[in-house]
């Protein structure tokens, strides 16, 4: 889960290489939503052994209320 500032815009996504993905976001190498809103602060992450579990959790988080 990424944000741009406290109580700012949130982004929820998944990756198999968090370190690489954060480098890309910090250096604005990823075009789109995260670049547009300057989302480069990692505020939360979870690890999963199986990609299907990660996808299920991502969908669950995206349906949550922000509060």
């Amino acid at each position: 889960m990424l944000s741009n500032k406290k109580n700012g815009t949130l982004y929820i996504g998944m990756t198999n290489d968090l370190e690489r993905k954060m480098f890309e976001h910090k250096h604005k190498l990823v075009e789109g939503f995260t670049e547009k809103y300057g989302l480069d602060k990692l505020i939360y992450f979870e690890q999963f052994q199986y990609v299907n579990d990660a996808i299920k959790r991502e969908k669950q988080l995206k349906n949550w209320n922000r509060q």
Side-chain angles (χ1 to χ4, degrees):
M1 187 177 299
L2 302 178
S3 185
N4 54 359
K5 60 184 176 182
K6 186 176 180 177
N7 297 319
T9 304
L10 292 177
Y11 170 79
I12 297 171
M14 59 172 269
T15 182
N16 63 356
D17 188 341
L18 184 58
E19 190 174 332
R20 173 190 50 82
K21 197 65 166 175
M22 288 308 304
F23 178 87
E24 292 172 355
H25 287 301
K26 292 256 183 215
H27 293 89
K28 310 290 188 238
L29 302 176
V30 179
E31 293 182 7
F33 186 82
T34 57
E35 179 189 32
K36 179 178 178 181
Y37 292 97
L39 301 168
D40 63 0
K41 292 171 182 49
L42 181 65
I43 60 170
Y44 182 77
F45 75 95
E46 296 176 351
Q47 292 179 299
F48 294 89
Q49 183 174 359
Y50 303 107
V51 70
N52 289 341
D53 293 337
I55 292 168
K56 182 178 175 182
R57 180 62 169 151
E58 177 186 9
K59 289 178 181 181
Q60 181 184 39
L61 288 172
K62 287 183 174 181
N63 285 323
W64 279 8
N65 184 314
R66 183 183 179 101
Q67 279 69 23

